[in-house]
Amino acid sequence: MIASVSLLGAASYAAFKFTTTKPVETEEGQKHSDPSQDRKLFTRGEVRKHTSKEAGIYVTRGDAVYDITDFVDVHPGGERILLAAGHSIDPFWHIFAIHQTTETLELLETYRIGDLMPAKDDPTYSALRDDAAAALERLFYNDPVRDPQLIVRSDRPCNAETPPHLLTEAFVTPNNLFFVRNHLPVPETDQITTVEFDAPWLPETVVLSLDEIKGRYEHVDVMTTLQCAGNRRKEMHDVKPVKGAYRIMLSVICVCFDYCLTGLQWTQGAISNAVWTGIPLRKVIEDVCGPIPKEYEDKIKHVHFQGAEGYGASIPVHKALDPRGDVILTFKMNGEDLPRDHGWPIRALVPGHVAARSVKWVQKVTLAEEESPSHWQQRDYKGFGPSKTLEQSRYDESVAIQELPVQSAITLPRAGDTVPVRAGEVRGVKGFAWSGGGRGIVRVDVSADGGQTWVDARLRKPGQMEGREWAWTLWEADVPVNVAEGEDVEIVCKAVDTSYNEQPERFDSTYNVRGVLVSAWHRVRAAAKIEQDEGEKK
């Protein structure tokens, strides 16, 4: 299966040269020592006719033609592979970069049936049908229209953050402004009608319709903040460059996915808060899988989630089955149906954990002994030591990110703003604070003299139970400053959670080449404007 052989690779396929192990007879029945002379030439028109199992499903890659009819049923990404039927898979693999391994290419080569006629010689060539731009349009045709206020960090797949200054306007983030983190294109959501449940002791997979899930179990509301592992990455990158797992250049349509080189350059807006409605995952598991048999009690350690678009992740089983863990299968967000970008019609919600574990468009839930084999569980979302390069980083030896460290950031003033200083204070400094694992915020410290003196911010807490404080805390502070007119003032903040974990001052000790787990003091530099206080005027 393509996913299983390509999870660990990032080798460039441009350097890979196809070979065949045996000569193929031509229509004239002749054989040649040069394999390229043995293969049949196909026009693009011929390839386009093969888009169904009845006619055969053909795809092309470069100048090669493949018959993948027998592979479709076992493709880990499901029928999404049919988007490329009758066309080139090259544009799709620029997005689904996990395919770009020698192992995957060797597997694909076993399905090769011929060569593609050069475009200049092909009377059936059509730019509208055959160029990469048309293929990408097909791939992203399910993507919804997004709010123009979102700050787009990558267009395809869409990754966009909430404007930081809007984060603290309301305790609950409006659906249209909730940050978007898509690893892959939005799938055909109307086709998601069931969820499968599996465990090693079950004789067969149990399939529940969405109507059964919604109708059979109690609905609960959970207010939860979701944060991307790379939130505030740009700050770390500005101190010392970080790197993504790979770089993709799609020059044929002048699209450059440079975010893969440096990671998505989030500022402070890859975090949002919402009230999610759904059913407790543990209730469904207990119902359809039964209690974990004694012989599996010490073996089952993980729960996998598989999304319809091909993304997958897993969480520890104790989190999934803990009544206080509040893991749910959710279908509503802030009282409305989940937006497509956020997992409609059903997603996993894992409070207190990195957002990457709250898998969208869930199609399968599996209890397992090992972590999910997904690329994003095994080869992403892991931290490394401050001195490790990307090449030195051992994914197989690093622990997958689950709970996130304590975090806070300033949302107002914004960097570069001019801030009024009245009676020696910058008033109304605002921000958010949050910590993973259900740990609440006990204090936010704010300073304008580099941390020599601090003031306690006024906190607006979510009012949740101890150990289950899944939502953020908003804060506001009036900060003493000692500056002259026009001078810059640097405001910094740091949060302390209920375990007395505290944000580190600098990035030096927490730097990692992937730019995740960014939690150093947040700093905002603004220009001071001295204003007379109303009381002084009198």
Side-chain angles (χ1 to χ4, degrees), residues 434-467:
W434 182 77
S435 190
R439 294 178 290 275
I441 300 298
V442 298
R443 197 177 75 241
V444 174
D445 303 322
V446 189
S447 173
D449 57 9
Q452 297 300 308
T453 60
W454 301 87
V455 295
D456 290 3
R458 301 179 291 277
L459 306 183
R460 183 184 175 192
K461 296 188 175 187
Q464 295 173 315
M465 294 178 59
E466 182 180 353

Side-chain angles (χ1 to χ4, degrees), residues 396-450:
D396 57 335
E397 295 178 357
S398 186
V399 176
I401 298 170
Q402 295 288 350
E403 297 178 1
L404 288 174
V406 63
Q407 172 74 281
S408 72
I410 298 164
T411 60
L412 286 174
R414 293 175 284 185
D417 279 356
T418 297
V419 293
V421 177
R422 298 187 181 98
E425 290 182 332
V426 175
R427 299 175 183 176
V429 177
K430 295 182 179 181
F432 63 82
W434 182 77
S435 190
R439 294 178 290 275
I441 300 298
V442 298
R443 197 177 75 241
V444 174
D445 303 322
V446 189
S447 173
D449 57 9

Side-chain angles (χ1 to χ4, degrees), residues 12-19 61 101-103 105-106 109:
S12 171
Y13 64 79
F16 186 85
K17 297 183 182 293
F18 285 125
T19 60
R61 182 181 173 279
T101 69
T102 300
E103 296 88 351
L105 293 167
E106 289 174 343
E109 184 64 11

Side-chain angles (χ1 to χ4, degrees), residues 127-177:
L128 290 177
R129 291 181 174 181
D130 300 314
D131 280 0
L136 279 178
E137 288 303 320
R138 292 196 304 276
L139 185 60
F140 289 95
Y141 78 102
N142 287 315
D143 275 32
V145 175
R146 282 106 184 179
D147 194 300
Q149 295 179 88
L150 291 172
I151 302 170
V152 177
R153 297 303 176 195
S154 76
D155 186 47
R156 290 181 168 177
C158 179
N159 291 281
E161 64 179 289
T162 311
H165 69 282
L166 298 182
L167 285 171
T168 47
E169 285 198 349
F171 203 87
V172 171
T173 311
N175 290 358
N176 61 304
L177 293 178

